[in-house]
Amino acid sequence: MASSVNPTVRRRRLGSELRKLREQKGMTAEEVAARLLVSQSKISRLENGRRSISQRDVRDLCGVYGVEDHRVVDSLMQMAKESRQQGWWHAFGDVPYSVYIGLETDAASLRVYESLVVPGLLQTPEYARAVIEGMWPENTTAEIEKRTKVRLKRQDRITDPVNPMRYWAVVDEAALRRVTGDERIMSDQMQHLVKCSTMAHVTLQVLPYSVGAHPGMYGKFAILEFEDASDATVVYLEGVTSDLYLEKPNDVQDYSMMYEHLRALALGPDQSRQFIIELAEEYAQ
């Protein structure tokens, strides 16, 4: 379930507030960097929430921006303190895509398109392990187990009985046809998808081969939205060595429109459920 203090989200909120203060002062990031004798990239990372923000950073920036209201400074300092706390994922050590996990943990809704594998939040333990083993063949057994445990822990966001995430997944037929592990694992995975699709807060749609070319052929992506209006919607694009987070309104709008096209092309929820039931039976034979 979402934590009461999420360090990733706190960093984003604090970075957004610091950016507003800079813009109100009429200063560029380069000018601020020159005043503080730091790199311009540090200022950008602080404002984008990609770097941990210390209370000293906040104090120095407030000084440059001429913030005299002690309540504002104290509030920003508290946010900086909270942003340096550890999220649940830090207990697993160095975890890839930890920034994304932090955002996902606090998101109110998540829309995903998957082209090659079943979405992570809907994977069974055996399927998840098979995916991780296949995608990172050089990983040790311990690393594979750690990644699997993290993936399964992330699923708390849709199984939370009190405050579950609103989850919408469009999955390409290719992801369901690709045998990952073996037929038994695939049969179990299909049955799990059927069960997940009956949850009131989960919508699952299959994009069949028959639609031909479609906007999702660029690849997988996720759109995260948050309860707090001050938290911008984020489009997440996963890469091999680095990830991309898009927050500009035009980018978010483009991906949101793309997602609406995919939803329209995909089978409806009931048709998708029946499609997956039939696949489960095929794998069980």
Side-chain angles (χ1 to χ4, degrees):
M1 80 180 50
S3 59
S4 58
V5 176
N6 184 317
T8 303
V9 174
R10 284 292 188 275
R11 283 203 305 270
R12 291 182 69 238
R13 290 176 185 168
L14 178 53
S16 177
E17 292 301 319
L18 292 173
R19 184 187 304 112
K20 290 177 183 177
L21 290 174
R22 175 176 61 76
E23 292 172 346
Q24 289 170 3
K25 189 68 173 178
M27 299 181 69
T28 65
E30 290 84 355
E31 290 171 337
V32 175
R35 284 279 299 274
L36 295 178
L37 301 179
V38 299
S39 67
Q40 185 270 332
S41 63
K42 175 179 178 178
I43 301 301
S44 296
R45 290 197 300 272
L46 290 177
E47 292 184 351
N48 292 330
R50 303 290 181 262
R51 177 184 175 126
S52 179
I53 307 178
S54 70
Q55 291 179 302
R56 179 176 179 176
D57 290 329
V58 170
R59 182 199 64 190
D60 292 347
L61 289 168
C62 285
V64 171
Y65 302 147
V67 181
E68 298 180 353
D69 189 331
H70 292 295
R71 292 171 299 179
V72 173
V73 176
D74 290 344
S75 176
L76 295 176
M77 294 279 275
Q78 180 62 28
M79 291 176 70
K81 181 179 180 181
E82 292 175 350
S83 74
R84 297 178 71 83
Q85 296 181 19
Q86 294 189 334
W88 63 261
W89 53 94
H90 288 99
F92 292 88
D94 184 20
V95 177
Y97 57 90
S98 60
V99 172
Y100 172 78
I101 293 175
L103 296 175
E104 182 184 77
T105 298
D106 211 58
S109 70
L110 175 60
R111 289 173 285 167
V112 300
Y113 166 67
E114 281 285 359
S115 57
L116 297 176
V117 298
V118 170
L121 297 191
L122 303 179
Q123 294 178 3
T124 64
E126 287 185 307
Y127 180 91
R129 188 172 293 105
V131 168
I132 292 168
E133 287 176 343
M135 292 184 69
W136 294 280
E138 297 181 358
N139 276 357
T140 64
T141 300
E143 182 65 22
I144 290 170
E145 288 304 309
K146 181 180 75 172
R147 285 178 177 248
T148 302
K149 288 179 180 178
V150 170
R151 183 160 302 180
L152 298 178
K153 176 64 177 174
R154 287 169 49 207
Q155 296 178 2
D156 287 353
R157 287 301 290 116
I158 62 170
T159 59
D160 184 351
V162 178
N163 185 34
M165 169 196 291
R166 177 69 180 92
Y167 188 73
W168 202 307
V170 175
V171 184
D172 197 285
E173 182 177 345
L176 307 180
R177 294 285 185 185
R178 182 179 300 279
V179 178
T180 302
D182 55 35
E183 281 76 8
R184 182 189 61 79
I185 290 176
M186 292 302 297
S187 179
D188 290 345
Q189 177 63 72
M190 295 306 107
Q191 293 177 45
H192 182 65
L193 287 177
V194 171
K195 179 180 178 181
C196 290
S197 72
T198 63
M199 296 179 181
H201 56 281
V202 173
T203 301
L204 176 60
Q205 291 184 254
V206 176
L207 190 66
Y209 287 145
S210 59
V211 303
H214 59 80
M217 295 178 75
Y218 284 105
K220 60 185 287 185
F221 64 93
I223 305 173
L224 302 102
E225 296 178 298
F226 304 87
E227 290 270 2
D228 195 314
S230 65
D231 294 324
T233 298
V234 178
V235 175
Y236 170 68
L237 304 175
E238 182 179 353
V240 176
T241 58
S242 62
D243 301 326
L244 187 61
Y245 299 86
L246 306 177
E247 299 180 37
K248 293 181 179 179
N250 287 344
D251 292 334
V252 172
Q253 182 177 12
D254 286 346
Y255 274 91
S256 295
M257 287 298 295
M258 186 189 304
Y259 201 80
E260 291 305 308
H261 283 298
L262 293 173
R263 284 173 52 184
L265 290 169
L267 300 175
D270 292 338
Q271 290 176 298
S272 295
R273 186 179 300 111
Q274 184 58 40
F275 184 96
I276 297 170
I277 288 173
E278 293 173 4
L279 264 183
E281 293 173 351
E282 289 181 26
Y283 282 126
Q285 292 177 358

